[in-house]
Amino acid sequence: MSTGTVDWRAAWTAALDDLEMDVVAVETMLADERRLAETPPSDMWRPPTELGALPLELKPRADEILTRQLAAAEEIARRLTANRQQMAMTSKIETGEAVKRPVYLDCAM
């Protein structure tokens, strides 16, 4: 095996390691809602440049990471929808405070 092939495989392995760590961070935040609210993600993964084609033996790992990413994205979308629905419902709840509505007085009569 040539040094170029080893470097290429190592670069892809490192790229997948970084991507997987990003997915783990999102999965961890989804599992701990308090942490999600207090610690938004700050260092999002960016695809490396000039890697070339993915080595065939790394394809199963890349597919598994993609599956996890899609599941995390689906869960985020589900939670956003639930949050919007909850906000819509809570906006309809009367709080007992004086309602600030415009009051019109018809003085024509």
Side-chain angles (χ1 to χ4, degrees):
M1 196 177 305
S2 71
T3 303
T5 303
V6 172
D7 291 343
W8 174 56
R9 188 181 342 258
W12 265 107
T13 299
L16 290 176
D17 287 345
D18 290 344
L19 181 58
E20 189 168 26
M21 286 175 36
D22 189 55
V23 173
V24 166
V26 171
E27 290 170 337
T28 301
M29 283 191 285
L30 287 170
D32 182 356
E33 293 193 27
R34 181 190 53 79
R35 182 172 175 229
L36 179 62
E38 294 174 0
T39 314
S42 60
D43 188 22
M44 300 302 287
W45 182 82
R46 288 174 182 69
T49 58
E50 302 176 15
L51 278 184
L54 177 71
L56 191 56
E57 65 269 11
L58 295 178
K59 186 177 181 327
R61 182 175 177 205
D63 288 341
E64 189 264 334
I65 293 171
L66 176 61
T67 299
R68 288 171 58 195
Q69 280 183 315
L70 294 172
E74 186 176 308
E75 180 63 15
I76 289 169
R78 187 193 68 73
R79 290 188 186 192
L80 285 172
T81 300
N83 189 27
R84 286 186 187 127
Q85 290 171 342
Q86 185 176 9
M87 285 177 57
M89 291 300 291
T90 57
S91 70
K92 296 176 183 178
I93 296 173
E94 296 273 341
T95 62
E97 293 180 16
V99 178
K100 296 180 176 112
R101 296 184 185 142
V103 177
Y104 297 97
L105 179 59
D106 188 356
C107 294
M109 293 191 173

